Amino acid sequence: MLWLLLLIIFAALVFWRVKLSHWSKKCSKQIVHGWWLGSIWKAITSKETFPEMILNAYNMEPNSRYSTFHQLLHPVLLIKDPDLIKLITVKDFDHFVNHHSMVLPQCDPIFSKNLLLLKNQNWRDVRSILASVFTTSKMKYMFSLITQNCDNFVSHFLQKNEPLVTVEMKEIMTRFMNDVTASMTFGIEVDAMNNPEDEFYLKGKDLTDLSGLSRVLKFLGSFIAPKIYKVFKISPFPQKTIQFFAAIVTNNIYIRQKQKIVRPDMINILLEGRKNPSKDDKIKITDLEIAAQVIAFYFAGFETMSGLLSFMAYELGANPEVQKQLILEVDNTFDACGGKITYHAISGMKYMDMVVSEALRKWPGIMVTDRVCSKPYTIPPKFPGEKCVHLSEGSSVWLPIFAIHRDPNYYPNPERFDPERFNDDNKRKLKPYTYLPFGVGPRGCIASRLGLLEAKTLFFYILANFEIVSVDKTEIPLRLIKKRIAMKAEGGFWFGLRRRTII
């Protein structure tokens, strides 16, 4: 029996190594750090951060249009060339319509219906409906909810009546995004700023908690063994929490329809779209599908947007000269509005837009986005020494947004926080498809305008009342935690909100 056991082990090792040699046979060298977990073993075992893993893969072959590596046993083509990114995401989009499905409908019948995870025609139909949520007129419609929550945010700290309040930015930004997203999507008022033990807020933390080995392995398992996940109905997301949020949405819809309640939020816009569909709408969205979209946007707001706001606060605190210039624009805008900020005023703040753009360049909320090849595709050689790369159906392609944004060929001195990269003159000089904070092409983030509006409005309110300053617990430069998939500062984002005497 011993010889049989040894034979099985040997066969398994050979199989594993054959799988990991996929790219070396096809097109180029590949980055392989660990024989048992492929290229990502250091990120899984907390030897390096996920952004470092992306940078290492990106920089492996400096003069190549792509790098190759493995996500466990799954081969991945990392696209580095902007022209190739355009080809895959726009010109030949019909070959790369879908993302990888980390959540199967059999495992999670609610969350799997959200726009990010839908495929092919289902994705096209639902995106057509959701597009109506994020038009300029709808942004103005929801602006009142954003400003109301921004006012609540600054009031929370003004009421302390202290010259300096020390805060952990990720914590307070998460609580703010919980409140504003709950208001705009779920249609309910939550006050996590004053009540951090609120059940809704705690459920949000549970939904978006991507720390811990078990949650990470659940996500990775969806790539390794989707058939097993399908049989045992395994989802990376806590099902009780998903059902908690879905019940809030469906109950909210029932009450609105019964009592004819109208409020400026996402549920109302989707209900209006269902009642009065456009000629392009091929499906009628159900209550459960509305719930899936609402939960997905809440997830993005709670985690991704709170991360952006935290990093932007860090950069303003670490770069007081930038903050000083932004405060000047805030004060001028405040005076021009007669003390009442408007949608058009926020949209017209040029330096604010430059600061937010640079924050997204240096700290993109989405570090990498993927596409799955839906039908055979060939990348022809362009330079001497290149081979044709043949992608079969199901092959994975990654767009390394974090690494492209840190490439000195596109952004000189990339570690420096410099909003002037995005002034009118420099912005025109940027190479197309090298600035991708919201993804790219038809599958780019549909809510990008809303996210920008939230960030600009919140920092307008903050800087109209406070300066962001360093305190004893502030760490500059920050270090990223290695035990998380999402970017978060080791030791936290500790800063002080120093009350301004003149507004």
Side-chain angles (χ1 to χ4, degrees):
M1 291 299 294
L2 179 60
W3 68 267
L4 181 60
L5 178 61
L6 292 175
L7 182 61
I8 293 172
I9 293 174
F10 177 76
L13 290 175
V14 170
F15 170 77
W16 204 279
R17 291 307 298 169
V18 168
K19 294 288 287 184
L20 291 180
S21 63
H22 174 89
W23 289 120
S24 59
K25 295 177 180 178
K26 297 191 72 169
C27 58
S28 67
K29 296 182 293 182
Q30 60 181 332
I31 180 169
V32 178
H33 290 309
W35 68 270
W36 60 293
L37 286 177
S39 311
I40 65 172
W41 80 277
K42 284 189 175 182
I44 294 175
T45 56
S46 302
K47 301 295 183 182
E48 67 182 7
T49 65
F50 191 68
E52 286 172 338
M53 186 206 82
I54 296 171
L55 282 170
N56 287 337
Y58 183 86
N59 293 323
M60 179 190 171
E61 298 179 68
N63 299 317
S64 175
R65 293 188 295 156
Y66 40 75
S67 294
T68 55
F69 71 103
H70 279 80
Q71 185 182 30
L72 298 182
L73 290 181
H74 194 68
V76 176
L77 190 68
L78 196 79
I79 304 299
K80 301 162 57 176
D81 177 50
D83 294 331
L84 196 50
I85 290 175
K86 178 182 179 180
L87 198 67
I88 286 173
T89 60
V90 180
K91 185 177 179 181
D92 294 332
F93 174 71
D94 61 316
H95 286 76
F96 300 93
V97 176
N98 303 319
H99 293 302
H100 171 79
S101 292
M102 68 181 76
V103 182
L104 299 173
Q106 298 86 350
C107 306
D108 191 333
I110 300 174
F111 199 70
S112 62
K113 293 181 183 294
N114 82 68
L115 185 65
L116 179 67
L117 301 178
L118 290 176
K119 296 180 179 295
N120 302 318
Q121 193 59 45
N122 285 341
W123 166 76
R124 297 178 194 277
D125 292 341
V126 174
R127 185 180 174 95
S128 170
I129 294 171
L130 288 176
S132 65
V133 176
F134 301 105
T135 62
T136 299
S137 61
K138 298 304 192 305
M139 293 294 100
K140 295 177 182 177
Y141 189 55
M142 291 189 281
F143 183 65
S144 61
L145 297 178
I146 298 174
T147 55
Q148 177 184 326
N149 281 276
C150 290
D151 188 61
N152 291 342
F153 180 91
V154 297
S155 295
H156 173 80
F157 297 106
L158 289 172
Q159 288 169 6
K160 295 180 181 297
N161 202 26
E162 299 173 7
L164 180 69
V165 181
T166 298
V167 297
E168 202 285 301
M169 286 293 178
K170 184 63 168 68
E171 172 67 20
I172 64 170
M173 294 305 183
T174 302
R175 283 155 62 181
F176 166 77
M177 285 308 306
N178 173 82
D179 293 356
V180 70
T181 311
S183 177
M184 287 195 301
T185 57
F186 287 88
I188 62 175
E189 300 302 323
V190 180
D191 188 9
M193 287 306 303
N194 291 300
N195 182 20
E197 298 303 313
D198 178 85
E199 181 184 18
F200 191 95
Y201 174 64
L202 295 178
K203 290 289 187 182
K205 292 179 72 173
D206 181 47
L207 177 67
T208 58
D209 182 11
L210 301 181
S211 62
L213 185 60
S214 62
R215 186 68 72 88
V216 172
L217 291 178
K218 273 191 174 183
F219 273 100
L220 293 176
S222 68
F223 289 88
I224 306 170
K227 292 181 179 178
I228 294 177
Y229 271 45
K230 184 177 179 179
V231 171
F232 291 98
K233 294 181 169 48
I234 302 172
S235 172
F237 297 100
Q239 289 305 287
K240 288 185 178 179
T241 302
I242 294 288
Q243 291 165 7
F244 169 84
F245 287 121
I248 291 177
V249 176
T250 53
N251 290 338
N252 196 308
I253 291 173
Y254 172 77
I255 292 171
R256 289 183 190 217
Q257 293 178 330
K258 186 177 181 179
Q259 301 181 9
K260 298 182 179 180
I261 296 173
V262 176
R263 71 188 307 275
D265 60 22
M266 184 175 178
I267 290 180
N268 186 71
I269 294 169
L270 289 173
L271 288 175
E272 287 296 313
R274 183 167 73 181
K275 188 190 309 179
N276 304 298
S278 70
K279 61 180 180 180
D280 296 325
D281 294 339
K282 297 180 180 180
I283 64 170
K284 185 175 181 179
I285 192 167
T286 66
D287 287 359
L288 201 60
E289 287 166 333
I290 290 177
Q293 311 317 318
V294 168
I295 295 171
F297 284 114
Y298 175 72
F299 182 98
F302 196 98
E303 182 59 35
T304 307
M305 276 300 300
S306 65
L308 165 63
L309 299 176
S310 303
F311 282 109
M312 185 168 165
Y314 162 79
E315 293 294 354
L316 290 174
N319 298 277
E321 71 287 351
V322 172
Q323 183 177 183
K324 182 178 180 181
Q325 187 170 343
L326 184 55
I327 286 176
L328 179 61
E329 184 182 50
V330 166
D331 288 349
N332 291 337
T333 304
F334 189 88
D335 291 340
C337 290
K340 186 171 178 61
I341 190 62
T342 65
Y343 174 86
H344 288 294
I346 288 288
S347 301
M349 295 180 68
K350 286 193 173 184
Y351 196 68
M352 176 72 81
D353 186 71
M354 291 161 57
V355 171
V356 175
S357 296
E358 176 68 347
L360 284 165
R361 194 276 307 173
K362 191 175 179 184
W363 307 105
I366 304 173
M367 291 176 281
V368 62
T369 186
D370 77 315
R371 297 291 189 275
V372 176
C373 187
S374 58
K375 46 188 173 181
Y377 186 80
T378 297
I379 300 175
K382 182 178 180 180
F383 300 115
E386 280 191 353
K387 302 177 183 178
C388 285
V389 179
H390 300 288
L391 299 176
S392 57
E393 182 179 346
S395 297
S396 288
V397 172
W398 278 18
L399 310 181
I401 296 170
F402 183 88
I404 291 171
H405 286 190
R406 301 276 178 133
D407 190 329
N409 293 312
Y410 308 131
Y411 299 98
N413 195 4
E415 297 298 323
R416 181 187 175 199
F417 186 78
D418 181 12
E420 293 300 329
R421 300 180 201 272
F422 295 93
N423 65 33
D424 289 341
D425 290 335
N426 290 332
K427 190 159 55 173
R428 285 191 288 266
K429 299 175 186 176
L430 291 178
K431 185 173 179 59
Y433 297 91
T434 61
Y435 183 67
L436 313 167
F438 296 106
V440 61
R443 288 215 75 144
C445 178
I446 196 172
S448 59
R449 295 176 65 201
L450 178 61
L452 292 171
L453 182 63
E454 290 171 334
K456 293 175 182 180
T457 307
L458 177 62
F459 276 95
F460 177 92
Y461 272 78
I462 291 175
L463 298 179
N465 294 277
F466 302 98
E467 292 178 69
I468 301 171
V469 297
S470 298
V471 293
D472 291 341
K473 297 174 74 172
T474 303
E475 292 191 17
I476 300 175
L478 63 77
R479 294 171 293 116
L480 295 177
I481 294 178
K482 293 181 179 180
K483 295 183 179 181
R484 291 179 63 96
I485 296 177
M487 292 187 293
K488 189 175 180 181
E490 187 82 47
F493 298 85
W494 288 98
F495 283 93
L497 294 176
R498 185 165 64 197
R499 192 163 182 166
R500 295 181 60 199
T501 55
I502 300 176
I503 298 178

